[in-house]
Amino acid sequence: MKKLYSNKLVILSLVLPGVLLFIFAVLAPICLSIYYGFTNYTGMGSFDFIGFKNYNTLLHDSAFWISMRNSLFLAIGFICIQHPLALITAAVLDKLGGKGESFFRCVYFIPNVISVAVIAYLWKFIYNPDFGLLNNIIKFFGGKGDINWFNYDTAIWAVLIVLIWHGFGWGMLIYYTGIKNIDTVLYEAAAIDGATSIQTFLRITLPLMKPVIQVNVTMAVISALKQMETVYLLTNGGPNNSTQFAANYLYQQAFKAFKYGYGNAIGVVFIIICLLATAVLNKIFEEKDVWDVSSKKKKKVGRAA
Amino acid sequence: MKIKKLAATLLATMVTSMFTGCGNDGGSSGKSSSSNSDTSSNVSGDETVTLRLFSNLPDRKTGQGLVEQMIIDEYMEENKNVKIEVEALDEEAYKTKFKAYSMEGMPDVVSIWGQPAFLDEVVAAGVLEGLNSADYADYKFVEGSLDGYTYDGTLYGLPRNTDVQCIFYNQKMFKDNNWEVPTTYDELIDLAGEIKSAGIIPMAMDGGDGWPMAVYLSDVLYKIAGSDYSTIVSNAVKNGDFSDKNIKKATELLKEAADAGLFQNGYDSQDYATAMNLFTNGQAAMFYMGSWESSMALNEDIPEEIRSNIRAFTMPTVDGGKGAATDIAAWNGGGYAVYSGSKVKDEAIKFFNYMYQPDKLSKYGWENGVGMSAQDQSEYMTGDETELMKQIVDIVNNSTNISGTPINDCGPSAFKTSIESEIQGVSNGSSSIDDFLKAIGDSCK
């Protein structure tokens, strides 16, 4: 058996499907994107090579930069609001125990189980200025209740709240699983030493959760960059591109404006930005020193994923 | 040696199974194409001909989709050897897949839009079959309705509907509050103030989609520029310069309406259904939409008190404008065409012509309340039509001129996408009128 696995033909036959899948489903489309990014292809008929014109246009395209700004806002929102809350909730849930623990674990995960289309329409109705839940609550408490939540200046915040709320369950569940994997002996020892809950959280839970946090933060940043479906259904980037995100903008340009070449140029820049973001995050996490509680020594932590 | 044999067998199995996977696919498509070519050579024979229809009408049970399906069923009944397969997607998904099909071969009969924003690229790609306009002389098409489908003297499709832009209103609500149907744009703005002060939304607008506001802009521009409308718009699109004073004035009037609160709060992010619901629930006094929504008067989901009181008027005149009250914003939008590379082209054209026989699309459309056809429908009127339908027929019959294609559909798709997004910004004040005109001009270049 060992001999069989060391045979190159066998290795080739086992690796080949995966390699081919990668070549045809990932590498070839990226290469084609790069190719079409240099053309004025509309998606139909013939096309010409136009050099870097698409990229030059992209540099001056305010809608694209708004979409990048929005992705950045979302990533910050994920890292600074969603994840701290998710981590704290997971820690509290862990301490809750019993039926309450499983009940709240399910409750917090519900938004992730519901389809994105339903979520988008649900929030559309919540935000509606004429008959929405939010304005009706304001009216109930004596306010005027005529706020247009999706107005040009505030629409992006309204969208960010939905996205942060929607992704909360995933983050919480991963943190929860991470916390459950921490050896309870450490908590018992801390309790004997007279550590408070906050001290335990800061000195034991948080340091040991670093690898989980790294994975979660990387995933959050990438999902902020890739955001498409919720925004597409909620506002479709409007009003006037104020809630635009790169993937949605790419779709609009390639498939609605018949600027397939330009859409591909956006795609190429988008891939580069995603790769850069991942590389930067890995670099940041790689250089962080953490306190290894078990050995009481400082040590380097490897890559997140 | 054994291991080598086993390894070779494994590799061979893997490679074979992969090629089998690809081979099956190719085989099936090869098979279908060969069956297509068989059928094309036997169109008039007894062999089954399979026609593929690609439609933008996914609802096959009501409205226009039902009419289309009725004609298909009748055709198959009369031509037992013909089988028509329908693939229907909603408009946006349709347009996306249409593009994909254009690269690898399309279904035989397809839905199209006779407007530059859609048809320019499609005709340039050479995927539509040229038709002989003389063949359709007896089909009772309304004068000018084929213009949008004609390029360099060749006809590339036929229109299905005549769309009239209407301001639907709740007649009872107007009467109860002593509101009058406005005859000038200033009166419309004043009326908005009155309705608003009564705690009602003056006009429900689907501003989230962008295109209804672009149609509003066209409607106002037509009232300002009159018969010069098409020249002004086509010059602006051609030169990428929208600084014309008439276009600027129309944009100012749109902004004035938005500032005066004519539209509902948050109109620029609300979709078609939400806007329509505001009107059909009695929360809004007016609704800005095309005549295809005249079937609201027959829709039993709408409370009887409201649906029986829906009436319509058209954009009132603008002070100093050249457009008369009877010059209306109307156009011929959707229609059908035949794929130039169809393997069963003769049968496809035969079916296509069958659909447009005056007693088919036009008659069935009228009977099912889906609005005005692009063909003369007067002989199908029974007198039992709803008041709203009669009113729209009167609007068309009394019209002195029609605008033609709305501004957003007059340029390339990039222009359409741009204007439908930028118009939200100019109406809600987040961008200036000059910036708006410049941005839409740039998108034409």
Side-chain angles (χ1 to χ4, degrees):
Chain A
M1 202 64 188
K2 209 174 175 185
K3 268 190 176 177
L4 186 68
Y5 282 134
S6 61
N7 187 300
K8 281 177 185 160
L9 279 178
V10 174
I11 295 170
L12 181 67
S13 70
L14 294 175
V15 169
L16 201 61
V19 171
L20 287 180
L21 192 71
F22 175 76
I23 290 171
F24 289 111
V26 181
L27 206 59
I30 290 175
C31 293
L32 279 175
S33 262
I34 296 169
Y35 172 76
Y36 284 123
F38 291 112
T39 69
N40 60 358
Y41 192 31
T42 61
M44 289 188 287
S46 58
F47 56 86
D48 298 312
F49 279 92
I50 52 168
F52 283 92
K53 203 174 163 195
N54 282 333
Y55 293 93
N56 192 31
T57 311
L58 192 58
L59 277 179
H60 303 98
D61 187 343
S62 61
F64 177 73
W65 293 110
I66 289 174
S67 69
M68 280 292 127
R69 182 206 66 184
N70 290 344
S71 296
L72 185 70
F73 281 166
L74 183 58
I76 293 171
F78 278 158
I79 295 168
C80 299
I81 302 170
Q82 188 192 63
H83 283 261
L85 283 177
L87 183 59
I88 293 166
T89 311
V92 172
L93 269 185
D94 176 51
K95 294 280 169 281
L96 205 60
K99 282 184 181 169
E101 185 176 331
S102 47
F103 173 75
F104 283 109
R105 197 178 54 206
C106 285
V107 166
Y108 289 128
F109 198 66
I110 284 175
N112 289 91
V113 180
I114 305 171
S115 131
V116 173
V118 177
I119 295 283
Y121 276 85
L122 178 81
W123 279 93
K124 258 188 173 183
F125 288 128
I126 290 174
Y127 281 132
N128 188 288
D130 298 303
F131 52 80
L133 180 70
L134 277 180
N135 277 352
N136 276 326
I137 291 174
I138 293 172
K139 274 182 197 160
F140 180 77
F141 287 106
K144 217 172 160 197
D146 62 349
I147 301 169
N148 173 19
W149 302 95
F150 279 133
N151 80 50
Y152 182 81
D153 298 317
T154 59
I156 184 62
W157 304 113
V159 171
L160 291 187
I161 288 172
V162 179
L163 295 171
I164 289 171
W165 170 82
H166 189 207
F168 177 82
W170 265 121
M172 196 274 301
L173 202 70
I174 296 170
Y175 287 129
Y176 177 79
T177 316
I179 289 173
K180 283 285 175 203
N181 282 332
I182 296 174
D183 195 344
T184 49
V185 172
L186 296 170
Y187 291 112
E188 284 161 16
I192 292 165
D193 291 341
T196 62
S197 305
I198 294 172
Q199 280 173 326
T200 316
F201 177 74
L202 293 175
R203 300 287 174 88
I204 298 176
T205 312
L206 211 51
L208 289 176
M209 287 293 285
K210 279 261 161 108
V212 181
I213 294 171
Q214 287 165 9
V215 173
N216 251 349
V217 166
T218 310
M219 276 170 30
V221 172
I222 299 301
S223 78
L225 285 167
K226 288 195 327 192
Q227 178 48 233
M228 157 104 203
E229 57 275 26
T230 316
V231 167
Y232 174 76
L233 291 164
L234 201 59
T235 61
N236 199 12
N240 194 20
N241 288 322
S242 61
T243 58
Q244 194 62 270
F245 280 79
N248 194 49
Y249 189 57
L250 185 160
Y251 173 78
Q252 284 182 350
Q253 292 299 310
F255 298 106
K256 281 181 84 180
F258 281 70
K259 288 161 83 176
Y260 195 72
Y262 188 56
N264 275 294
I266 297 173
V268 171
V269 174
F270 189 39
I271 291 168
I272 294 171
I273 291 172
C274 282
L275 288 176
L276 277 179
T278 315
V280 168
L281 283 172
N282 278 343
K283 194 82 190 154
I284 290 170
F285 292 134
E286 198 177 34
E287 287 170 359
K288 282 268 185 248
D289 285 334
V290 294
W291 189 259
D292 187 327
V293 181
S294 51
S295 63
K296 302 274 182 198
K297 277 178 187 170
K298 269 189 170 182
K299 76 167 197 181
K300 292 260 185 193
V301 168
R303 280 170 192 272
Chain B
M1 196 63 193
K2 253 187 179 178
I3 286 168
K4 266 193 178 175
K5 267 188 185 172
L6 190 60
T9 317
L10 260 176
L11 185 65
T13 315
M14 189 61 75
V15 172
T16 317
S17 63
M18 281 191 305
F19 282 114
T20 312
C22 302
N24 270 347
D25 195 15
S28 67
S29 63
K31 199 178 166 189
S32 77
S33 72
S34 74
S35 77
N36 274 349
S37 60
D38 286 351
T39 51
S40 72
S41 58
N42 286 300
V43 166
S44 54
D46 292 334
E47 279 196 37
T48 305
V49 180
T50 304
L51 268 185
R52 290 200 302 147
L53 173 73
F54 189 31
S55 166
N56 68 320
L57 304 166
D59 179 1
R60 317 297 294 174
K61 304 280 180 208
T62 59
Q64 193 78 60
L66 172 69
V67 171
E68 189 180 86
Q69 193 57 49
M70 283 165 67
I71 298 169
I72 290 169
D73 293 342
E74 263 184 41
Y75 189 81
M76 288 199 288
E77 191 59 39
E78 288 174 25
N79 301 273
K80 297 283 187 197
N81 65 324
V82 179
K83 186 171 174 262
I84 300 174
E85 290 174 355
V86 181
E87 181 184 359
L89 298 171
D90 68 42
E91 190 169 322
E92 196 165 324
Y94 178 87
K95 285 179 175 171
T96 305
K97 193 154 186 190
F98 187 95
K99 190 190 275 188
Y101 270 144
S102 72
M103 290 187 253
E104 59 184 36
M106 293 220 269
D108 308 297
V109 178
V110 293
S111 296
I112 59 163
W113 288 264
Q115 297 160 338
F118 179 81
L119 214 49
D120 277 0
E121 281 105 343
V122 175
V123 168
V127 292
L128 301 184
E129 177 72 7
L131 306 165
N132 185 1
S133 49
D135 292 349
Y136 302 99
D138 300 332
Y139 280 59
K140 299 181 182 173
F141 278 100
V142 177
E143 201 187 331
S145 61
L146 304 184
D147 294 353
Y149 292 79
T150 308
Y151 283 73
D152 296 329
T154 307
L155 188 64
Y156 286 98
L158 293 173
R160 187 171 54 202
N161 303 101
T162 295
D163 298 325
V164 182
Q165 189 58 40
C166 298
I167 300 175
F168 293 103
Y169 70 102
N170 186 325
Q171 189 185 41
K172 185 173 181 296
M173 200 185 273
F174 267 55
K175 260 189 194 158
D176 291 349
N177 292 281
N178 293 323
W179 298 326
E180 296 286 327
V181 170
T183 53
T184 66
Y185 198 79
D186 291 338
E187 283 178 21
L188 176 69
I189 301 295
D190 292 342
L191 179 64
E194 279 182 56
I195 299 176
K196 224 180 155 194
S197 58
I200 297 167
I201 296 163
M203 184 186 282
M205 170 64 94
D206 164 21
D209 288 318
W211 63 262
M213 281 208 291
V215 174
Y216 188 99
L217 182 73
S218 315
D219 212 346
V220 176
L221 178 60
Y222 190 47
K223 292 294 173 190
I224 296 170
S227 54
D228 296 335
Y229 166 84
S230 356
T231 318
I232 291 170
V233 172
S234 61
N235 281 342
V237 169
K238 197 166 69 188
N239 303 322
D241 177 10
F242 282 78
S243 58
D244 181 275
K245 65 178 192 320
N246 295 291
I247 302 178
K248 195 167 179 179
K249 169 87 176 157
T251 315
E252 284 166 0
L253 290 183
L254 165 70
K255 180 152 172 44
E256 185 190 340
D259 290 347
L262 177 64
F263 314 129
Q264 77 273 26
N265 192 8
Y267 66 93
D268 53 353
S269 60
Q270 289 181 19
D271 59 18
Y272 196 135
T274 310
M276 192 166 154
N277 281 339
L278 289 175
F279 178 66
T280 54
N281 288 337
Q283 286 175 273
M286 296 180 274
F287 176 40
Y288 191 74
M289 197 42 71
S291 54
W292 56 87
E293 283 301 352
S294 56
S295 57
M296 280 189 293
L298 291 168
N299 186 347
E300 294 192 354
D301 293 336
I302 299 170
E304 209 274 328
E305 191 192 41
I306 291 171
R307 73 166 187 268
S308 60
N309 279 298
I310 300 175
R311 300 290 182 273
F313 62 94
T314 52
M315 182 61 76
T317 54
V318 172
D319 269 352
K322 291 184 195 165
T326 49
D327 291 348
I328 57 169
W331 61 91
N332 304 103
Y336 298 97
V338 175
Y339 171 45
S340 57
S342 169
K343 298 241 165 58
V344 285
K345 205 187 285 176
D346 292 346
E347 192 65 42
I349 292 175
K350 197 179 142 199
F351 168 67
F352 174 81
N353 292 346
Y354 180 85
M355 281 201 294
Y356 281 99
Q357 285 176 12
D359 61 344
K360 292 289 177 287
L361 271 175
S362 190
K363 180 169 182 266
Y364 294 166
W366 185 252
E367 286 170 357
N368 286 280
V370 294
M372 308 284 292
S373 152
Q375 293 157 282
D376 182 11
Q377 287 172 306
S378 48
E379 62 183 291
Y380 306 119
M381 287 192 72
T382 60
D384 295 333
E385 289 82 7
T386 61
E387 285 302 315
L388 181 59
M389 289 283 275
K390 286 179 193 165
Q391 210 179 6
I392 292 173
V393 172
D394 284 345
I395 288 172
V396 175
N397 288 343
N398 297 332
S399 67
T400 41
N401 273 307
I402 63 163
S403 66
T405 309
I407 192 167
N408 52 322
D409 286 313
C410 284
S413 334
F415 164 69
K416 181 178 166 68
T417 312
S418 169
I419 190 172
E420 290 176 5
S421 169
E422 297 288 343
I423 203 163
Q424 295 174 329
V426 74
S427 68
N428 67 25
S430 59
S431 61
S432 70
I433 291 173
D434 289 335
D435 286 348
F436 163 72
L437 298 174
K438 186 179 177 308
I440 60 173
D442 288 348
S443 68
C444 294
K445 290 171 186 165

